[in-house]
Amino acid sequence: VLLQIFDAFKCRLHDSNSKVTQVALEAMHKMVPLLKDSLAPVINMLVPAIVDNNLNSKNPGIYAAATNVIQALCQHLDNSLLLQPLCTKAQFLNGKAKQDLTEKLA
């Protein structure tokens, strides 16, 4: 069930309407502390959805919300769950997003 929910939710993280994307990221930020390590089955799907476009967004609201979600993931999930998806994304990013993820990994 969790996989089905987040499969639908990840589309909101890529929505063409920036307000929808921002609200989805803000909702994700609230969900992470509640769900914690139960997000393990969907983390490989969520990290790219959170990072792609959002962490390099020129929209300050989306960038801040994406940064907050990454911070929440780092605070509330076992770091071993995050290592592989964050490393994978950091390899293929550029600009501020690459710098932000590299700092989180360090």
mmCIF file of all heavy atoms in Angstrom, residues 22 27 34 37 43 52 85-86 95 99 105:
data_model
loop_
_atom_site.group_PDB
_atom_site.id
_atom_site.type_symbol
_atom_site.label_atom_id
_atom_site.label_comp_id
_atom_site.label_asym_id
_atom_site.label_seq_id
_atom_site.Cartn_x
_atom_site.Cartn_y
_atom_site.Cartn_z
ATOM 1 N N GLN A 22 5.524 22.638 -4.643
ATOM 2 C CA GLN A 22 5.941 23.179 -3.348
ATOM 3 C C GLN A 22 5.097 22.606 -2.213
ATOM 4 O O GLN A 22 5.633 22.215 -1.179
ATOM 5 C CB GLN A 22 5.864 24.703 -3.353
ATOM 6 C CG GLN A 22 6.403 25.305 -2.063
ATOM 7 C CD GLN A 22 6.505 26.815 -2.121
ATOM 8 O OE1 GLN A 22 6.480 27.418 -3.191
ATOM 9 N NE2 GLN A 22 6.629 27.429 -0.954
ATOM 10 N N ALA A 27 4.427 18.905 2.329
ATOM 11 C CA ALA A 27 3.722 17.769 2.923
ATOM 12 C C ALA A 27 4.698 16.630 3.213
ATOM 13 O O ALA A 27 4.632 15.991 4.274
ATOM 14 C CB ALA A 27 2.611 17.296 1.990
ATOM 15 N N LEU A 34 7.069 11.357 10.798
ATOM 16 C CA LEU A 34 6.026 10.418 11.212
ATOM 17 C C LEU A 34 6.292 9.008 10.693
ATOM 18 O O LEU A 34 6.062 8.024 11.392
ATOM 19 C CB LEU A 34 4.658 10.897 10.716
ATOM 20 C CG LEU A 34 4.210 12.275 11.191
ATOM 21 C CD1 LEU A 34 2.931 12.705 10.488
ATOM 22 C CD2 LEU A 34 4.010 12.272 12.706
ATOM 23 N N ASP A 37 11.732 5.210 9.298
ATOM 24 C CA ASP A 37 12.330 4.107 8.557
ATOM 25 C C ASP A 37 11.314 3.261 7.790
ATOM 26 O O ASP A 37 11.704 2.430 6.968
ATOM 27 C CB ASP A 37 13.159 3.219 9.481
ATOM 28 C CG ASP A 37 14.463 3.889 9.908
ATOM 29 O OD1 ASP A 37 14.899 4.828 9.213
ATOM 30 O OD2 ASP A 37 15.031 3.470 10.927
ATOM 31 N N ILE A 43 12.293 4.711 -0.584
ATOM 32 C CA ILE A 43 13.319 5.748 -0.543
ATOM 33 C C ILE A 43 14.049 5.890 -1.878
ATOM 34 O O ILE A 43 14.388 7.000 -2.290
ATOM 35 C CB ILE A 43 14.302 5.537 0.639
ATOM 36 C CG1 ILE A 43 14.995 6.850 0.974
ATOM 37 C CG2 ILE A 43 15.300 4.449 0.362
ATOM 38 C CD1 ILE A 43 14.104 7.886 1.547
ATOM 39 N N ASP A 52 15.434 15.787 -8.177
ATOM 40 C CA ASP A 52 15.355 16.197 -9.583
ATOM 41 C C ASP A 52 14.525 17.469 -9.719
ATOM 42 O O ASP A 52 13.403 17.539 -9.241
ATOM 43 C CB ASP A 52 14.738 15.083 -10.438
ATOM 44 C CG ASP A 52 15.640 13.877 -10.569
ATOM 45 O OD1 ASP A 52 16.819 13.971 -10.197
ATOM 46 O OD2 ASP A 52 15.165 12.828 -11.034
ATOM 47 N N PRO A 85 21.056 6.100 -2.500
ATOM 48 C CA PRO A 85 20.303 7.019 -3.373
ATOM 49 C C PRO A 85 20.897 8.426 -3.431
ATOM 50 O O PRO A 85 20.895 9.052 -4.494
ATOM 51 C CB PRO A 85 18.894 7.046 -2.782
ATOM 52 C CG PRO A 85 18.894 6.205 -1.578
ATOM 53 C CD PRO A 85 20.221 5.547 -1.457
ATOM 54 N N LEU A 86 21.442 8.921 -2.330
ATOM 55 C CA LEU A 86 22.041 10.255 -2.342
ATOM 56 C C LEU A 86 23.331 10.272 -3.156
ATOM 57 O O LEU A 86 23.590 11.219 -3.906
ATOM 58 C CB LEU A 86 22.290 10.766 -0.929
ATOM 59 C CG LEU A 86 21.046 11.118 -0.107
ATOM 60 C CD1 LEU A 86 21.449 11.595 1.292
ATOM 61 C CD2 LEU A 86 20.191 12.163 -0.795
ATOM 62 N N GLY A 95 25.699 22.111 -10.341
ATOM 63 C CA GLY A 95 25.340 23.345 -9.652
ATOM 64 C C GLY A 95 25.119 23.194 -8.155
ATOM 65 O O GLY A 95 25.760 22.377 -7.494
ATOM 66 N N GLN A 99 26.346 20.485 -4.937
ATOM 67 C CA GLN A 99 27.025 20.978 -3.736
ATOM 68 C C GLN A 99 26.238 20.623 -2.476
ATOM 69 O O GLN A 99 26.811 20.153 -1.499
ATOM 70 C CB GLN A 99 27.190 22.493 -3.842
ATOM 71 C CG GLN A 99 27.882 23.121 -2.648
ATOM 72 C CD GLN A 99 27.968 24.638 -2.775
ATOM 73 O OE1 GLN A 99 27.715 25.201 -3.832
ATOM 74 N NE2 GLN A 99 28.322 25.286 -1.696
ATOM 75 N N LEU A 105 26.237 14.330 2.237
ATOM 76 C CA LEU A 105 26.955 13.056 2.277
ATOM 77 C C LEU A 105 28.188 13.130 3.167
ATOM 78 O O LEU A 105 28.516 12.179 3.851
ATOM 79 C CB LEU A 105 27.348 12.629 0.862
ATOM 80 C CG LEU A 105 26.197 12.121 0.017
ATOM 81 C CD1 LEU A 105 26.588 12.067 -1.454
ATOM 82 C CD2 LEU A 105 25.746 10.753 0.509
#
